[in-house]
Amino acid sequence: MKTLLLDRQQTLVQWVSQATGINTFGVKVRLLGNDLHILCEGTDCPKRWHTLYDLLQALGQTDLDSLTNEEQSSIYQVLVYGRKKGEHRPQWCHRVYLNQLDRHLEQAEQALLLETKKSRLPGGALIVSNESLARQGNPDAIARYLSENLSKLGVAVQVKSKPYESKANSQKTGNRLWIFCQSTYSPDATLLAEPVAQKLRHLKLAGYEDAVIVSQVRGESEPDWRLRVDLTPPETMLKEWARWGDIQAIARLLTEVLSDFQVTVQASLKEFTLHIFCTPAVDPLKNALAPEKEVCLPLIISQLEKIAPQGILAAAVYGQKTEDKQPAWVDWLSLPAAQHPALATSSLELGAAGDEPAIIFLLERLLNQDMDWRLKTGGIRVLLLRKGDLLHIMCDAPNCPKRQQVASKVTQFIRQLSIVGVTGVRVYGRRAGDTEPVWHHGVDFGHRHRLVPEATPEFAATVEYVSDLLPKETNEPILRPDLTTQEVQNLVTEVTQDWLETAHQQVRNLLLASQLFTATNQSTEQNPDEQGLWGSFIWVALGLILVLQSDWMLGYVTTKIGQNTPKVTGTLTSSSSQSQVSLTSEKNQSQRTTFFTSNNNTTYSQFGNSAFNASSFTQADDTPSTNLSAAPLKQKANATAILLAARSNLPSFNARQLDEQFALYKQRLATDGKPPDVLIIGSSRALRGVDPVALSKALSTQGYPKVDVFNFGINGATAQVVEFIIRRVLQPSELPKMIIWADGSRAFNSARKDITFNAIAASKGYEEVLKRATQPVNNNSSSQQANAVKDELTKDTPVNVNTYQVTNDFLNQALVGISASYENRGQIKALLQKQLNYLPVINNSQQVNSKTELTSNTQEQNSQAAVDFDGFLPLSIRFNPATYYQNHPRVAGAYDNDYKDFQLAGNQDTALKSMIEFTKNKKISLVFVNMPLTGDYLDPVRLKYEQEFQKYMLDASTTNSNFIYRDLSQIWLKAHDYFSDPSHLNRYGAYEVSKRLAIDPMIPWSFK
C-alpha cells in the first residue's frame, strides 16, 4: 500500500482543511493506485452534503496532481468518508469522479435544497458510470473503469491507444490498447490476468483488435511482465467457429438472432445434416405455443447462408413446444456447401489433409471446451508452425495453459489426424504476450530421417507476425530491371578482363620475388637488402608448405595403418572378444533420428531410432566406435588449486576437493569478472562425465558462441551437498545462468548415511557460511573483499608462471588444432623405431626403451587423475569387465551401501525442492541429467531403484516448469569404451554426453 510523502501529505491535509473548515487533526488522506481517500472526522460526524459541496467547489478550482508526488500517477476519483471520532467505521462514504465534477456538484446542490426545504424536488443529476463511458473507447474512461478494481490492490492504471500497421497486410491498419500498470510491489500475473481480460472483453470495444497490459514496479526501468488480451468481439469469435461447422457456435448465433421473439435454439449434427430445434425461451408453465414458422424460418435461412458452415450440406428446422416430443412443424433447407464443393469437405478431413487453418480451429475447439470461458477471457489460442516433418504448436492464454492438461490432448489428437508428412509434434505453452514458451513437450510418431538438429522456433506475441518467423532459405540476388542484356554482357566482359590482368600481374610478382626468375628488361641497379628480405619471406613460405605437406602425408599414412591394424586394449577372453564393437569410423555410422532440423548444412550423428523414449526423453544407440573422439587435454590445475585453497580466507569444509574446486571457481570469477554461463555440478559422475570444453565447442556449432562452462563436480556429493553449494556457498553475484546437475539415483537416497554432507556440516567453513548468511550484507565491504581476492590472485599468479613454459604450451595447443599427425605422434614414433630396429645400436637398447615407455605410460595415467582449470577430471581409462574385476570386487546392488534402504522421501527430497524453488526465484535454468550406466552395474536391484527414481524425477519436472529432466541412464549399457568403471564415464564418454546435451532441444541454451 502506497502512502504520500510527508510534505505532500501535509499539503493535501491543509488543502482539505481549508476547503471544508475541518481542523487538520480531523483530516487524513491516503493515495492508493489512482484513488485519493479522504477521511473527515469530528466530535460530531461532519455533515455529508455540506462537506461534499465545499470539497467539490475546491476540486473544481484545484489541480490535485500538483499537490501530489511528481512520480505519482494521475488521480481519477476521490473517495470521501465521514465518521465520528472514536468510531472505527465511517457513517457515510461518497465516490467522486473527477471527470464529472459538474454533475456531482449539481447533485450536492439538490440534496442541500432538499434538506433546507424539507421537500422532494423532481429531477436531479444523473451520474454516468465509468463502464458506460469506457464502452465508447475513450482511453481515459477505460483507465478509470479498470482502476475501480485495480486501485484496491494498490495498482495505478494509465491507458493509451496507438495505431499500428499489420505486417501480414500492409494496407490493414488497426488500433492497439496499451495499459500501463504501476505499483510499489510486483502483482502476481496469474491473479490479475483473467479478471482484467474479462473486464476488457466485457466492454466489447470497437476498433481495437487487442490490448497489451504492461506491469511495472514503480522506480524500476524494465517492466515486470506483459499480457496480451484478445479484444475480438464474442460475435466475431462465434461466427468464425460457426463457419467451420461448430454446432454450439451456430446454436448461439441463431438464439441471438431469435432472442427478440423469445425463441431459443438447440442444434445437433448427424452425418452432413444439421438439425435445428426452436422452442420457447421463457415457458415457466410449460404451455407456451411453438414458435411461429413464418418468423423463425426466414431469419434462420438468412443467418445460415451468411455463415456457410464447412462440411454441412443441409439443415432440418423443427418448431415445437417445450415438452412435446413431436414437432409442430418441420422444414428442410439446402445449405451453400451443397452447391460449392470447396465447402463440402468437413473441417476434420481438411485437418487430416494438412490444412493449417482447419488444424488451428480443431485444436482451439479441443482446448476450449467451455464456450463461456472462451468468450469472456479469449480462451486458449493456438499458433501453428510447420517446419519439415515437424509440427510446432504454441498454446497461449491469459494464464499459461498447464502442460498436464494440454500436451497429451494435443499430441494424441495430432496422432489421430495422421497428417501426411508429419512424423513428430512439438507442443509449447506460454502466457499470452510472451515470446518464449514456459514449457515444451515433444513426441515422435515414427522413425524420422532428419540429420540436422533444430532449435526451438520463436512464435510471435501476436498472430500478425507469424509470417515473419520462418527464416529465408534462399539468398537470391536482387536484379535491376532497368539493365539491358547488352549492358550486362559488357559489364561481365570488363570485369573478366580486369581479373585476368590482375591475376597475371600477381603471379608475375610472386615469381620475381622468389629470385628464381628475373624480368627480361630488369634494371641492373637493385637494392640487395630488399632482395634479401623478400627472398627470406619466400623461402620461409616454401619451408612451411613443405612442413605442412609432410605432416599431412604422415597423418594419412598413420590413419591407413590404424585402419588396417587391430587395436589391443587389454587381455580379452573369448566371450568378451565376441562382444567387442566393430572397428568402424564414427563418420561411417548410420545416421539416426534427431530432434529438429535447421537451415544449415552441417550433419550431426544421432543415437537412436527415435528422438524420445517411452518417457518422451532422448534415447540413443549404445554401440560406440573404437576410434573414440575426445576434447584436447588441458593443463592440470591441482597444484594451483591447492595453493589457492591454502590462501583462502574461508575456513576448510573438511572436504579437500570442495575446497579446491571452490578456489578454482573463485579464480575464474576474479579472472573473467563474471560467473560462467553454465555450471556443471553433482558427484563424481558429473566431475568425470561432462566436459566443459566439448560442451562449449558443441554449443558454438549450434549457434551459441562463447558459452563459458565450469565443472563444479564433487566426489560423493548428494542433493544436500549440491543445495548447500548453490544456496549457501556461492553469492548471488556468483551464480550462473544455467545449472546442469549431472548425477543419478544414489545421490537422492535419503536413507543412506550422507558422509560427505555430514563432514561438511561439522566443518568451520560450514559455520562461517551460515554465520555470513545471517549477517546483513554490506555492499562496500563485499566489493572490497572481492577486489582484494582479485588483487591477491593477480599478484600471486606471476610468481609461479614460467614465460617460456607458457609460450611452449600455447604453441603446442595451437599445433594440436592444425597438425594432422600430432594426435598420432606415438604411432609415428613406434613406426620409426620399428624401421630403425635393424641398426645394432637401436637393437641393443630396445629392452631399455621398452621399460622406459611402460614407466612413462604409468606416469601419464597417474597424471590424468587431476582436474583441469575448468574443474573437469578427464580419465582415458576404458572399462574392460574381463580385467577390471580382477582388481576390484563385484558388488551387487543388494549389498551396495549407496542403495541401502533406498528411500527418496527425506532430506535429499527436501534439498531438491529447495533447489527448484531457489533457481525459480533467481530465474536460473535447472537441468538434471541422469548420467549413463553400464549393464554390469544395473543389476535387478539397482534397476528397480532406477525406475522408481525416473518416475520421481518425471513427476518433479512435470509439476515445475523451470526444472528439466533428461534421462541418459540406459543409452550405453554395453558401450564399455565410454566408461572408466561400471558407473563413471571416461573422457570419451564425457565428450559424447557433452555433444548430446548441446543438441538437445529441450534444454534452453539461449542466454539473455
Side-chain angles (χ1 to χ4, degrees), residues 660-704:
E660 295 176 2
Q661 289 285 75
F662 183 56
L664 287 176
Y665 189 75
K666 296 289 285 187
Q667 184 194 35
R668 173 71 68 89
L669 294 174
T671 303
D672 296 346
K674 64 180 183 65
D677 300 313
V678 179
L679 182 67
I680 302 160
I681 198 166
S683 64
S684 55
R685 298 178 68 184
L687 182 68
R688 309 183 193 180
V690 184
D691 189 343
V693 173
L695 180 59
S696 180
K697 183 178 179 181
L699 287 174
S700 179
T701 62
Q702 296 296 309
Y704 305 104

Side-chain angles (χ1 to χ4, degrees), residues 656-965:
R656 174 180 172 181
Q657 193 171 35
L658 174 57
D659 297 338
E660 295 176 2
Q661 289 285 75
F662 183 56
L664 287 176
Y665 189 75
K666 296 289 285 187
Q667 184 194 35
R668 173 71 68 89
L669 294 174
T671 303
D672 296 346
K674 64 180 183 65
D677 300 313
V678 179
L679 182 67
I680 302 160
I681 198 166
S683 64
S684 55
R685 298 178 68 184
L687 182 68
R688 309 183 193 180
V690 184
D691 189 343
V693 173
L695 180 59
S696 180
K697 183 178 179 181
L699 287 174
S700 179
T701 62
Q702 296 296 309
Y704 305 104
K706 299 181 181 179
V707 176
D708 190 15
V709 186
F710 187 86
N711 192 318
F712 209 122
I714 306 295
N715 285 334
T718 59
Q720 289 189 101
V721 176
V722 171
E723 189 265 349
F724 170 70
I725 294 174
I726 297 299
R727 292 198 60 197
R728 303 296 184 187
V729 177
L730 300 184
Q731 297 296 320
S733 60
E734 300 172 347
L735 293 173
K737 300 175 183 177
M738 174 183 289
I739 296 175
I740 301 292
W741 189 351
D743 219 313
S745 57
R746 61 191 185 190
F748 290 81
N749 182 13
S750 297
R752 63 178 280 198
K753 185 177 181 181
D754 198 340
I755 299 176
T756 306
F757 182 76
N758 292 340
I760 295 174
S763 67
K764 294 183 179 180
Y766 184 84
E767 296 178 358
E768 181 67 22
V769 168
L770 295 184
K771 181 180 178 181
R772 184 179 61 187
T774 57
Q775 291 178 350
V777 178
N778 188 337
N779 294 330
N780 295 330
S781 62
S782 61
S783 61
Q784 292 175 0
Q785 182 178 3
N787 293 332
V789 172
K790 183 174 181 180
D791 294 340
E792 181 181 355
L793 291 172
T794 55
K795 177 181 68 177
D796 295 333
T797 301
V799 177
N800 299 310
V801 173
N802 188 323
T803 306
Y804 172 78
Q805 184 66 29
V806 171
T807 306
N808 184 55
D809 293 341
F810 172 77
L811 293 177
N812 286 337
Q813 292 296 331
L815 288 175
V816 168
I818 299 175
S819 175
S821 61
Y822 184 85
E823 295 182 355
N824 300 322
R825 60 191 184 277
Q827 189 175 356
I828 296 174
K829 179 181 178 182
L831 181 62
L832 293 175
Q833 287 179 347
K834 183 177 179 181
Q835 299 298 325
L836 296 175
N837 279 339
Y838 298 103
L839 297 177
V841 178
I842 301 299
N843 194 17
N844 293 335
S845 61
Q846 183 177 5
Q847 185 176 1
V848 178
N849 292 336
S850 300
K851 293 181 179 180
T852 304
E853 183 179 356
L854 290 174
T855 304
S856 63
N857 289 337
T858 304
Q859 293 175 353
E860 181 180 358
Q861 290 183 359
N862 292 334
S863 67
Q864 287 179 353
V867 298
D868 55 25
F869 281 94
D870 290 328
F872 173 58
L873 178 60
L875 296 180
S876 300
I877 304 171
R878 303 189 190 184
F879 170 59
N880 184 0
T883 58
Y884 179 82
Y885 294 112
Q886 295 177 4
N887 301 318
H888 302 84
R890 185 189 293 268
V891 181
Y895 302 99
D896 192 344
N897 287 332
D898 289 339
Y899 292 90
K900 182 179 181 181
D901 302 327
F902 190 79
Q903 180 181 348
L904 293 172
N907 295 333
Q908 310 299 344
D909 175 60
T910 304
L912 173 63
K913 294 178 180 177
S914 176
M915 273 285 293
I916 294 175
E917 185 65 24
F918 178 78
T919 53
K920 180 180 180 181
N921 294 335
K922 297 294 183 181
K923 297 182 179 180
I924 301 173
S925 300
L926 179 61
V927 180
F928 186 90
V929 181
N930 195 9
M931 297 296 285
L933 298 167
T934 62
D936 287 13
Y937 185 80
L938 282 178
D939 58 10
V941 174
R942 293 191 181 100
L943 185 60
K944 174 186 175 183
Y945 295 146
E946 187 68 25
Q947 293 172 350
E948 182 181 347
F949 174 70
Q950 289 183 14
K951 183 178 182 301
Y952 167 75
M953 297 303 286
L954 285 173
D955 293 340
S957 64
T958 303
T959 55
N960 299 279
S961 59
N962 69 307
F963 180 62
I964 300 173
Y965 172 64

Side-chain angles (χ1 to χ4, degrees), residues 272-276 300 304 312-318 331-335:
F272 302 103
T273 303
L274 179 65
H275 297 267
I276 301 172
I300 292 176
L304 290 178
I312 302 178
L313 305 180
V317 186
Y318 306 88
D331 207 329
W332 182 269
L333 306 176
S334 179
L335 299 183

Side-chain angles (χ1 to χ4, degrees), residues 392-458:
H392 300 269
I393 300 172
M394 174 66 75
C395 306
D396 66 15
N399 284 330
C400 177
K402 295 182 179 179
R403 175 164 50 183
Q404 304 93 314
Q405 299 176 355
V406 173
S408 59
K409 284 185 179 180
V410 172
T411 54
Q412 184 178 1
F413 180 76
I414 297 298
R415 185 192 297 270
Q416 293 174 354
L417 279 182
S418 300
I419 304 173
V420 178
V422 174
T423 60
V425 62
R426 303 293 181 261
V427 188
Y428 311 88
R430 70 179 182 188
R431 184 173 64 233
D434 292 345
T435 56
E436 296 183 356
V438 176
W439 56 261
H440 32 64
H441 177 76
V443 172
D444 284 344
F445 305 142
H447 184 75
R448 299 179 57 244
H449 298 281
R450 298 293 181 181
L451 301 179
V452 183
E454 177 180 283
T456 302
E458 294 185 359

Side-chain angles (χ1 to χ4, degrees), residues 305-554:
E305 288 181 350
K306 292 179 181 178
I307 295 173
Q310 187 79 33
I312 302 178
L313 305 180
V317 186
Y318 306 88
Q320 61 184 24
K321 295 182 179 180
T322 304
E323 293 185 347
D324 287 353
K325 296 182 179 181
Q326 296 296 327
W329 52 269
V330 180
D331 207 329
W332 182 269
L333 306 176
S334 179
L335 299 183
Q339 288 80 28
H340 302 280
L343 298 176
T345 307
S346 66
S347 57
L348 191 60
E349 293 175 352
L350 289 175
D355 185 77
E356 293 189 3
I359 297 174
I360 292 175
F361 158 71
L362 293 172
L363 290 175
E364 287 187 345
R365 194 65 186 91
L366 175 69
L367 300 177
N368 294 279
Q369 299 289 341
D370 189 349
M371 180 75 74
D372 292 328
W373 175 77
R374 180 179 187 266
L375 296 178
K376 288 180 179 179
T377 65
I380 299 177
R381 185 184 57 150
V382 173
L383 295 178
L384 199 65
L385 200 61
R386 180 170 178 176
K387 301 184 73 175
D389 59 349
L390 280 179
L391 198 62
H392 300 269
I393 300 172
M394 174 66 75
C395 306
D396 66 15
N399 284 330
C400 177
K402 295 182 179 179
R403 175 164 50 183
Q404 304 93 314
Q405 299 176 355
V406 173
S408 59
K409 284 185 179 180
V410 172
T411 54
Q412 184 178 1
F413 180 76
I414 297 298
R415 185 192 297 270
Q416 293 174 354
L417 279 182
S418 300
I419 304 173
V420 178
V422 174
T423 60
V425 62
R426 303 293 181 261
V427 188
Y428 311 88
R430 70 179 182 188
R431 184 173 64 233
D434 292 345
T435 56
E436 296 183 356
V438 176
W439 56 261
H440 32 64
H441 177 76
V443 172
D444 284 344
F445 305 142
H447 184 75
R448 299 179 57 244
H449 298 281
R450 298 293 181 181
L451 301 179
V452 183
E454 177 180 283
T456 302
E458 294 185 359
F459 288 83
T462 62
V463 75
E464 295 293 340
Y465 307 101
V466 172
S467 60
D468 296 339
L469 297 179
L470 290 174
K472 305 299 183 296
E473 298 184 359
T474 59
N475 293 320
E476 297 180 357
I478 300 176
L479 300 179
R480 291 178 53 186
D482 58 322
L483 292 179
T484 63
T485 305
Q486 185 63 35
E487 289 175 336
V488 174
Q489 292 178 353
N490 294 337
L491 178 62
V492 172
T493 303
E494 293 176 3
V495 172
T496 305
Q497 184 177 1
D498 293 340
W499 180 82
L500 290 175
E501 293 177 357
T502 303
H504 178 268
Q505 186 65 29
Q506 289 180 349
V507 172
R508 180 179 181 276
N509 294 337
L510 180 62
L511 294 176
L512 292 176
S514 67
Q515 297 184 6
L516 299 176
F517 301 89
T518 59
T520 55
N521 297 324
Q522 184 176 2
S523 174
T524 57
E525 296 180 1
Q526 294 183 351
N527 188 351
D529 295 334
E530 183 179 354
Q531 292 180 3
L533 181 62
W534 282 104
S536 300
F537 283 145
I538 294 300
W539 288 111
V540 168
L542 290 176
L544 289 176
I545 293 174
L546 181 60
V547 170
L548 291 176
Q549 287 181 340
S550 302
D551 178 77
W552 179 82
M553 290 299 298
L554 286 174

